[in-house]
């Protein structure tokens, strides 16, 4: 009897801890998703999609589908390996439940800096769960369909259960959630266009990955994006209504250790520049050192080329950074497993050398 009481107390306290964790998100949602406006509402989708993208980056997922339901629910499905269903050693619960109910430390809007990659631990899923009226997860794995539902800000209705069988070849994860209107007081209505633009961008940034969007609120409203050419096709699209001054898009990419760099660029006849840079698929609007690095490298290389080909004479002023930017459409995409600020600064040195050697070759 005493033994049983002890066990129950231990279970209760751990359960309370978990609830407190998600309660913290509901108390201060801004710390976790920045804002509870329409933008914050859409942020929920990106938190979930990020997890599926990580599975694609790991090489196990080729298709991600996003569906806006009639009732303004969101479903995100992938054909990856499926979130592990075994018992997580730290929590004593299934990994699925752990991903959805244990708050991972460090609100990314509180601490500043970059998001630490979701990687294996589904960062963000628990935040979405906390801010949802209900959330259902289905995992297709081992010929089974596993299911769990959470209600009222992330409270599990039951443990993870097998509810059906499926083909043993089928694997993947499917998540459906209804944002809580008590949290998202401005609006709980998803905007198709907002989702379409960002999902298309994610498809450009992750070449070969198919990303589909469907709106069940309107008949035949759907899009599907897959770009074998990646960011090269992004530049092509950005320049489609402009006159390019060279026919082929310059495309540079490479990998060193775990860091990959892709740059695609093309000049057009306009005076404007469109330069977009991304670290781990996240846009870095102020550019950051990686963008400066690429621009500096490009300036050096074009000056070197101009001098050695007699375009610039010894007495001419060298091209400035602004000269080089004129008419430039460029996408920079870096994928870095641990994108700390210092790492990026060190990375700039490598980046300039890398960019320079590739431009020298071409
Ligand atoms: F996190 C989440 F719940 F938000 C979420 C996760 C949502 C969606 C739509 C997909 C996913 C997700 C997670 N897709 N794929 C995965 N994969 C894993 O979690 C996974 C599977 C297998 C293994 C393994 O080592 O065998 C490891 C991981 C991390």
């Amino acid at each position: 009897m005493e033994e049983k009481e002890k066990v129950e107390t231990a279970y209760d306290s751990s359960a309370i801890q978990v609830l407190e964790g998600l309660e913290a998100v509901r108390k201060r949602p801004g710390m976790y998703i920045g804002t509870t406006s329409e933008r914050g509402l859409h942020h929920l989708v990106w938190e979930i999609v990020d997890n599926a993208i990580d599975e694609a980056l790991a090489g196990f997922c080729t298709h991600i589908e996003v569906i806006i339901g009639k009732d303004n629910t969101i479903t995100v499905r992938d054909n990856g390996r499926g979130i592990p269903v075994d018992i997580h050693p730290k929590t004593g619960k299934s990994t699925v439940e752990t991903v959805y109910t244990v708050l991972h430390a460090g609100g990314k809007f509180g601490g500043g800096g970059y998001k630490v990659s979701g990687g294996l631990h589904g960062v963000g899923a628990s935040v979405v769960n906390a801010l949802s009226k209900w959330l259902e997860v289905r995992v297709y794995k081992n010929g089974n369909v596993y299911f769990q539902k959470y209600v009222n800000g992330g409270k599990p209705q039951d443990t993870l259960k097998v509810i059906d069988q499926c083909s043993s070849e089928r694997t993947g994860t499917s998540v459906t959630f209804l944002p809580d209107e008590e949290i998202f007081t401005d609006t709980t209505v998803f905007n198709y266009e907002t989702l379409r633009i960002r999902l298309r961008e994610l498809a450009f940034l992750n070449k070969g990955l198919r990303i589909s969007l469907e709106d069940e609120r309107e008949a035949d409203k759907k899009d599907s994006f897959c770009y074998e050419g990646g960011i090269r096709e992004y530049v092509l699209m950005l320049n489609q209504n402009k006159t390019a001054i060279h026919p082929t898009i310059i495309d540079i990419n490479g990998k060193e250790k775990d860091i990959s760099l892709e740059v695609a660029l093309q000049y057009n006849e306009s005076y404007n520049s469109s330069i977009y840079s991304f670290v781990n698929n996240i846009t870095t609007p102020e550019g950051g050192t990686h963008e400066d690095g690429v621009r500096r490298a490009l300036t050096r290389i074009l000056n070197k080329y101009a001098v050695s080909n007699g375009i610039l004479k010894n007495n001419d002023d060298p091209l400035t950074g602004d000269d080089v930017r004129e008419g430039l459409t460029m996408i920079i995409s870096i994928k870095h497993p641990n994108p700390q600020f210092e790492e990026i600064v060190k990375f700039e040195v490598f980046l300039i050398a890398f960019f320079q050697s590739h431009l020298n070759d071409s």
Side-chain angles (χ1 to χ4, degrees):
M1 188 63 204
E2 226 185 285
E3 195 58 40
K4 186 167 181 280
E5 259 175 30
K6 254 188 204 150
V7 170
E8 275 180 3
T9 317
Y11 177 80
D12 282 347
S13 63
S14 69
I16 286 164
Q17 251 181 8
V18 167
L19 285 179
E20 270 178 0
L22 295 193
E23 208 37 60
V25 181
R26 291 178 66 82
K27 273 200 193 111
R28 304 172 85 188
M31 284 284 290
Y32 299 88
I33 56 163
T35 164
T36 55
S37 65
E38 183 169 349
R39 185 183 162 85
L41 178 78
H42 290 79
H43 196 93
L44 300 181
V45 184
W46 311 134
E47 287 293 344
I48 298 294
V49 168
D50 268 4
N51 287 282
I53 298 259
D54 279 344
E55 186 71 356
L57 288 174
F60 298 104
C61 156
T62 58
H63 190 187
I64 299 172
E65 290 172 83
V66 177
I67 300 154
I68 310 172
K70 279 198 173 65
D71 43 1
N72 275 298
T73 57
I74 289 285
T75 297
V76 181
R77 275 208 289 260
D78 73 23
N79 64 349
R81 291 166 294 177
I83 304 176
V85 293
D86 49 347
I87 298 300
H88 194 278
K90 290 223 174 82
T91 61
K93 300 166 194 298
S94 70
T95 301
V96 172
E97 184 170 336
T98 304
V99 162
Y100 278 99
T101 60
V102 177
L103 185 58
H104 291 79
K108 62 181 158 171
F109 290 90
Y114 292 102
K115 175 180 174 175
V116 177
S117 173
L120 304 184
H121 303 296
V123 170
S126 60
V127 171
V128 175
N129 197 17
L131 302 177
S132 293
K133 195 74 196 151
W134 57 261
L135 182 148
E136 293 177 352
V137 55
R138 287 172 179 78
V139 174
Y140 301 82
K141 210 178 171 98
N142 319 319
N144 293 323
V145 184
Y146 300 84
F147 174 85
Q148 193 169 25
K149 183 168 183 171
Y150 314 84
V151 294
N152 296 328
K155 300 178 182 70
Q157 272 195 326
D158 199 348
T159 54
L160 185 74
K161 289 267 157 61
V162 173
I163 56 157
D164 207 350
Q165 309 306 124
C166 63
S167 148
S168 61
E169 271 102 77
R170 179 164 181 197
T171 60
T173 304
S174 174
V175 178
T176 303
F177 63 92
L178 178 70
D180 193 337
E181 58 189 16
E182 285 174 45
I183 302 282
F184 299 95
T185 46
D186 288 2
T187 180
T188 53
V189 179
F190 286 98
N191 182 305
Y192 187 84
E193 204 51 19
T194 304
L195 297 180
R196 187 183 74 83
I197 296 295
R198 174 61 176 156
L199 291 174
R200 184 182 65 182
E201 182 168 271
L202 284 169
F204 281 126
L205 291 167
N206 296 281
K207 74 171 70 149
L209 174 63
R210 175 163 298 282
I211 304 183
S212 312
L213 173 63
E214 189 176 341
D215 193 344
E216 289 181 345
R217 299 169 304 185
E218 257 183 78
D220 297 325
K221 191 147 187 185
K222 54 178 89 165
D223 283 284
S224 190
F225 307 109
C226 182
Y227 303 104
E228 293 301 335
I231 58 170
R232 162 181 264 279
E233 288 193 62
Y234 203 171
V235 170
L236 191 70
M237 184 191 75
L238 291 169
N239 271 351
Q240 70 188 350
N241 295 322
K242 304 195 169 97
T243 310
I245 64 174
H246 52 96
T248 43
I249 292 165
I250 297 167
D251 184 331
I252 296 159
N253 53 69
K255 201 168 176 170
E256 184 144 317
K257 295 187 185 128
D258 277 345
I259 306 167
S260 79
L261 166 72
E262 293 178 77
V263 181
L265 65 95
Q266 187 182 40
Y267 281 95
N268 62 62
E269 283 183 350
S270 81
Y271 295 105
N272 308 319
S273 69
S274 309
I275 301 173
Y276 301 109
S277 50
F278 301 87
V279 175
N280 294 348
N281 295 323
I282 299 164
T283 177
T284 51
E286 316 87 78
T289 48
H290 53 291
E291 187 175 314
D292 295 343
V294 169
R295 270 211 308 267
R296 256 201 292 278
L298 188 61
T299 307
R300 276 196 219 173
I301 283 301
L302 288 177
N303 271 312
K304 205 171 148 201
Y305 179 88
V307 169
S308 52
N309 288 277
I311 300 164
L312 275 180
K313 302 282 181 289
N314 284 339
N315 295 335
D316 292 339
D317 286 337
L319 298 167
T320 65
D322 283 345
D323 294 333
V324 164
R325 219 174 345 198
E326 219 175 84
L328 176 61
T329 299
M330 176 162 76
I331 307 285
I332 302 163
S333 174
I334 293 170
K335 296 206 179 90
H336 190 312
N338 189 20
Q340 299 300 311
F341 180 68
E342 293 86 335
E343 296 287 330
I344 293 284
V345 173
K346 273 187 247 152
F347 182 52
E348 187 193 331
V349 176
F350 150 72
L351 201 152
I352 292 178
F354 181 84
F355 199 67
Q356 206 144 7
S357 72
H358 277 72
L359 273 178
N360 283 338
D361 294 344
S362 53

